[in-house]
């Protein structure tokens, strides 16, 4: 809702009659709010202003202070409190509580709230109807982080198996409405730039209260035991939400090892957490963060690069480090000379502006390979020549929500990447475990409910019957097609894993003004080739002029323009010197009729 910076068309004071009407509308829209609650956000004896936006949205605020209420349609039908109003009156709206603070990151980048990300209390979901305003909270923090509209009723949610979208987010902490306030602030120490965690003061007060009443303490312990099985966000959830998907896929069960791993991390010392942070930063700037990506906001560095580099199952909390805040940690790394960082005074955020790749810590660090080496040799392409130019290209597959039950049933990790043969082996292990080979025909496999859903759920047309068996020769390929395809590219110490099939390098020769030929090369980033370096090399090799240019509408993707029709020699150079497989090079000669 407030993702784009739009200027208000007009700002004016409300008349006394309009203030009374606004208070009545708010009371109807927020039925659980008392008169005192309405007074707190819309004081009766102060001036209330309304800002009108081109989208018909109205934002009401206390004059000279903070925005308190916004109206999406301008008619009072979609009236919501801002986070500032919710921080004044935390229980102004009923609230969904997230499963953990890490889920809040996705809300703060504009994602809607999915049912799998909500902590369900032991007594079940509270009653609600579609179209109601609800807020979002983080466990252990009383201050809401977002507000939105329910998409269905509690009855419909239960029928849907608690899957799908729970809340369509209208406004959240860190969006442009929050940032538009001159006196913007955060309500407690649990609010960071990229996520919200429990409020330490609130947690301490809760522990103090529970220690005074042993019976209450026992009740809390029992409730804690009831929540001990709640799944946290796994790697697939992270990928789905960052991609802006419509479903947050969390596993319904968790292996017994994961809570143990989380518990062990909670007992790490401050020094060990500091060391883990440094290791994740080095891993990120070695494998993911390129110089052309800079400058980069600290929140982006943390959420998109640091967190994915943490060990599996480990919750990385900057607050438990000696630095306490992301900005202070980045500034300390800047003081050591490893990176260069500065504060953006407008956004009040530390920005990564440079990386010292000659720093002793950077040069001494050996990045870990997150993906297993593939088994099939024909999937690899190794360059001839020096080790620094050695290239490996592999297709890998990651379990999706469709096939997760199969992986879990055989004890396989749903967060890993698999080669085609490894993925096929998983489904055949399941067939063997469940004894699904057809007795009358050993070449066929009987489909139980779990395997049938994994292979065909959502793919069979409505009204058509689901298959009851499948031939063994088709089982592996059908199973793999239900997984998420990725590709891994490695050159020396640099390793990148990207979602989707690998794109090709395109080499095209065309005629320019004056009947001169020009050869264009694009898609180099897919194979970890730097456009500027290649242009400089080709200039010397072919004794011609070369330039680089960013592709229109494709930020971070560049093409190299080479004078002359060197299309065949250029393709051969990419294969022989850089190890780019021929099957990933497409050649177009537009000069030939």
């Amino acid at each position: 809702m407030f993702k784009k910076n739009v200027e208000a068309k007009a700002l004016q004071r409300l008349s006394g009659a309009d203030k009374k009407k606004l208070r009545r509308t708010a009371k109807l829209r927020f039925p659980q709010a008392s008169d005192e609650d309405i007074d707190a956000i819309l004081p009766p004896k102060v001036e209330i202003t309304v800002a009108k936006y081109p989208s018909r949205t109205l934002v009401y605020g206390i004059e000279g202070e903070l925005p308190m209420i916004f109206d999406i349609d301008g008619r009072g039908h979609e009236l919501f409190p801002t986070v500032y109003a919710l921080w004044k009156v935390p229980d102004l709206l009923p609230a969904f509580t997230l499963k953990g603070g890490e889920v809040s990151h996705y809300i703060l980048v504009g994602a809607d709230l999915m049912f799998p990300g909500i902590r369900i209390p032991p007594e079940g979901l509270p009653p609600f109807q579609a179209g109601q305003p609800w807020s979002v909270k983080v466990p252990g923090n009383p201050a809401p982080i977002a507000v939105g509209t329910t998409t269905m009723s509690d009855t419909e949610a239960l029928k849907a198996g608690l899957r799908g979208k729970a809340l369509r987010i209208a406004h959240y902490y860190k969006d442009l409405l929050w940032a538009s306030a001159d006196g913007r602030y955060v309500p407690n120490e649990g609010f960071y730039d990229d996520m919200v965690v429990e409020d330490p003061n609130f947690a301490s007060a809760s522990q103090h209260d529970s220690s005074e009443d042993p019976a209450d303490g026992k009740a809390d312990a029992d409730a804690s035991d009831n929540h001990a099985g709640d799944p946290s966000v796994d790697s697939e959830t992270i990928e789905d939400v960052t991609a802006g998907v419509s479903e947050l896929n969390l596993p319904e069960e968790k292996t017994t090892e994961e809570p143990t791993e989380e518990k062990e991390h909670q007992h790490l010392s401050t020094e060990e957490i500091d060391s883990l942070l440094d290791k994740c930063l080095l891993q990120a700037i070695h494998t993911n963060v390129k110089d052309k990506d800079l400058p980069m906001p600290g929140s982006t560095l943390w959420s998109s690069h640091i967190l994915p580099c943490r060990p599996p199952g480990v919750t990385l909390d900057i607050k438990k480090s000696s630095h306490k805040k992301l900005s202070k940690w980045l500034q300390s790394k800047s003081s050591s000379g490893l990176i260069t960082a500065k504060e953006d005074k407008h956004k009040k955020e530390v920005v990564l502006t440079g990386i010292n790749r000659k720093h002793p810590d950077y040069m001494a660090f050996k990045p870990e390979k997150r993906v297993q080496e593939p088994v099939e040799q024909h999937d690899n392409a190794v360059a001839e020549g020096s080790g620094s130019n050695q290239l490996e290209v592999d297709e890998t597959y990651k379990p999706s929500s469709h096939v997760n039950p199969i992986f879990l049933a055989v004890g396989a990790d749903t967060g890993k990447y698999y080669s085609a043969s490894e993925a096929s082996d998983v489904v055949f292990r399941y067939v063997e475990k469940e004894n699904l080979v057809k007795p009358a025909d050993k070449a066929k496999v009987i489909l139980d409910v779990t395997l049938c859903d994994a292979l065909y759920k959502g793919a069979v047309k409505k009204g058509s019957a689901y298959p009851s068996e499948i031939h063994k020769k088709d089982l592996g390929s059908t199973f793999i097609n239900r997984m998420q395809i990725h590709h891994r590219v490695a050159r020396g110490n640099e390793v990148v894993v990207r979602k989707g099939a690998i794109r090709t390098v395109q080499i095209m020769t065309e005629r320019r003004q004056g009947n001169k030929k020009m050869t264009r090369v694009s898609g180099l980033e897919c194979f970890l080739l730097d456009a500027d370096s290649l242009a400089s090399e080709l200039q010397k090799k072919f004794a011609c002029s070369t330039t680089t240019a960013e592709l229109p509408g494709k930020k971070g993707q560049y093409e190299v323009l080479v004078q002359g029709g060197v299309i065949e020699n250029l393709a051969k150079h990419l294969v022989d010197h850089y190890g780019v497989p021929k099957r990933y090079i497409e050649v177009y000669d537009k000069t030939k009729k």
Side-chain angles (χ1 to χ4, degrees):
M1 178 66 203
F2 295 100
K3 296 179 183 179
K4 293 183 179 179
N5 196 4
V6 180
E7 294 292 333
K9 292 195 298 184
L11 179 68
Q12 63 187 50
R13 288 180 176 179
L14 288 186
S15 66
D18 286 338
K19 282 196 289 185
K20 290 179 180 179
K21 183 180 178 181
L22 177 62
R23 288 170 57 85
R24 288 196 302 269
T25 306
K27 192 72 175 72
L28 291 172
R29 180 70 171 164
F30 317 141
Q32 73 179 48
S34 65
D35 291 338
E36 290 76 15
D37 293 338
I38 300 298
D39 286 346
I41 62 173
L42 296 172
K45 294 184 179 181
V46 301
E47 294 294 339
I48 303 296
T49 60
V50 57
K52 298 181 180 180
Y53 287 83
S55 60
R56 294 184 180 178
T57 299
L58 303 178
V59 177
Y60 299 93
I62 301 171
E63 187 173 37
E65 295 186 27
L66 301 165
M68 287 289 139
I69 287 179
F70 63 97
D71 184 355
I72 292 178
D73 63 0
R75 294 177 295 177
H77 299 155
E78 294 188 76
L79 204 68
F80 296 91
T82 66
V83 289
Y84 293 114
L86 290 171
W87 294 345
K88 281 180 175 286
V89 187
D91 296 324
L92 187 67
L93 295 178
F96 290 116
T97 302
L98 302 179
K99 284 183 174 174
E102 60 271 17
V103 185
S104 68
H105 162 71
Y106 308 107
I107 303 296
L108 302 192
V109 294
D112 290 328
L113 177 62
M114 307 299 171
F115 279 110
I118 297 173
R119 173 175 288 178
I120 308 299
E123 64 273 15
L125 278 175
F128 55 87
Q129 298 298 320
Q132 290 182 338
W134 277 58
S135 64
V136 181
K137 292 183 178 180
V138 168
N141 200 317
I145 66 169
V147 63
T149 309
T150 53
T151 61
M152 63 181 81
S153 67
D154 58 312
T155 305
E156 292 169 329
L158 291 172
K159 286 182 180 179
L162 294 180
R163 294 283 172 179
K165 189 178 294 184
L167 205 64
R168 187 175 292 105
I169 301 297
H171 161 55
Y172 52 91
Y173 159 62
K174 294 295 287 185
D175 72 0
L176 291 175
L177 177 57
W178 172 86
S180 67
D182 292 335
R184 59 179 179 267
Y185 70 99
V186 293
N188 57 60
E189 295 179 6
F191 279 68
Y192 293 111
D193 287 342
D194 58 337
M195 68 172 64
V196 179
V197 297
E198 68 177 15
D199 175 16
N201 299 322
F202 180 77
S204 300
S206 300
Q207 291 172 4
H208 179 71
D209 292 342
S210 65
S211 65
E212 293 178 356
D213 190 342
D216 290 343
K218 184 179 185 304
D220 290 342
D222 292 341
S224 176
D225 290 341
N226 288 335
H227 287 295
D230 282 352
S232 59
V233 178
D234 62 357
S235 57
E236 182 179 341
T237 301
I238 293 174
E239 187 171 308
D240 288 345
V241 179
T242 349
V245 297
S246 60
E247 180 75 18
L248 234 171
N249 296 312
L250 297 178
E252 295 180 1
E253 297 180 359
K254 213 178 182 186
T255 58
T256 55
E257 291 81 8
E258 288 181 358
T260 306
E261 196 170 15
E262 291 284 348
K263 192 175 290 185
E264 288 176 357
H265 176 66
Q266 290 172 6
H267 289 88
L268 289 177
S269 66
T270 302
E271 292 75 15
E272 289 172 324
I273 295 175
D274 287 348
S275 177
L276 182 58
L277 281 170
D278 293 348
K279 182 179 178 182
C280 290
L281 174 62
L282 287 166
Q283 178 76 19
I285 61 179
H286 262 278
T287 60
N288 296 335
V289 184
K290 312 301 178 192
D291 291 335
K292 63 187 178 185
D293 299 330
L294 305 179
M296 178 184 293
S299 56
T300 303
L301 174 69
W302 175 262
S303 59
S304 300
H305 302 287
I306 301 294
L307 288 181
C309 289
R310 69 190 188 278
V314 172
T315 300
L316 194 57
D317 189 352
I318 190 76
K319 190 177 176 185
K320 295 179 181 177
S321 71
S322 62
H323 307 281
K324 303 301 181 185
K325 292 185 177 181
L326 178 65
S327 57
K328 290 184 178 179
W329 176 54
L330 292 177
Q331 286 167 351
S332 72
K333 295 292 101 183
S334 180
S335 299
S336 70
L338 175 61
I339 61 173
T340 305
K342 66 177 183 179
E343 184 178 0
D344 186 325
K345 294 182 179 179
H346 177 66
K347 295 183 177 179
K348 301 296 182 182
E349 181 178 11
V350 173
V351 177
L352 176 67
T353 57
I355 300 170
N356 181 6
R357 303 193 185 274
K358 294 183 180 181
H359 192 276
D361 291 348
Y362 182 92
M363 299 179 71
F365 183 78
K366 294 183 179 180
E368 298 177 1
K369 290 188 177 182
R370 297 291 182 184
V371 184
Q372 288 186 333
E373 292 297 326
V375 194
E376 298 178 89
Q377 293 297 322
H378 64 270
D379 282 339
N380 297 340
V382 182
E384 298 175 3
S386 65
S388 62
N389 284 331
Q390 180 174 320
L391 179 73
E392 297 177 11
V393 182
D394 315 308
E395 277 191 353
T396 61
Y397 301 86
K398 190 176 181 183
S400 65
S401 58
H402 299 297
V403 301
N404 269 342
I406 302 297
F407 280 81
L408 293 172
V410 299
D413 189 349
T414 59
K416 286 172 53 179
Y417 297 89
Y418 294 82
S419 66
S421 60
E422 290 170 336
S424 182
D425 179 62
V426 169
V427 69
F428 278 101
R429 280 164 53 195
Y430 178 82
V431 169
E432 183 179 353
K433 178 177 179 289
E434 300 296 329
N435 195 23
L436 298 180
V437 176
K438 190 174 183 180
D441 187 353
K442 300 292 185 182
K444 292 185 178 179
V445 172
I446 300 172
L447 300 179
D448 64 3
V449 175
T450 303
L451 185 55
C452 185
D453 283 350
L455 298 180
Y456 298 109
K457 187 175 181 180
V460 176
K461 290 183 179 180
K462 191 174 182 179
S464 302
Y466 279 82
S468 59
E469 58 185 42
I470 187 173
H471 201 284
K472 281 185 177 179
K473 66 181 178 64
D474 299 323
L475 177 60
S477 58
T478 305
F479 185 74
I480 290 169
N481 286 338
R482 299 283 279 179
M483 297 177 68
Q484 299 173 348
I485 185 171
H486 289 66
H487 63 275
R488 169 186 175 273
V489 181
R491 185 184 297 281
N493 290 330
E494 192 172 5
V495 182
V496 174
V497 179
R498 300 187 182 98
K499 192 173 182 180
I502 191 167
R503 300 195 306 272
T504 58
V505 172
Q506 295 190 341
I507 306 176
M508 180 175 64
T509 297
E510 58 187 11
R511 293 192 185 277
R512 290 290 181 92
Q513 190 175 7
N515 206 27
K516 293 181 180 179
K517 289 184 179 182
M518 177 71 71
T519 301
R520 307 157 64 105
V521 191
S522 60
L524 299 169
E525 296 83 5
C526 297
F527 299 93
L528 306 182
L529 294 174
D530 181 70
D532 291 329
S533 300
L534 181 64
S536 177
E537 181 182 339
L538 296 179
Q539 181 181 17
K540 297 174 183 177
K541 181 175 180 63
F542 298 128
C544 61
S545 64
T546 61
T547 57
T548 60
E550 188 171 22
L551 292 172
K554 297 181 180 179
K555 188 175 181 180
Q557 297 183 33
Y558 294 83
E559 67 175 352
V560 177
L561 289 81
V562 184
Q563 186 181 23
V566 294
I567 188 167
E568 293 181 1
N569 291 334
L570 182 50
K572 186 175 185 301
H573 182 70
L574 292 177
V575 173
D576 294 344
H577 189 69
Y578 288 104
V580 179
K582 288 183 180 179
R583 63 182 181 275
Y584 292 127
I585 298 178
E586 294 183 359
V587 176
Y588 305 94
D589 191 345
K590 289 190 173 183
T591 63
K592 295 181 179 180
K593 295 183 180 179

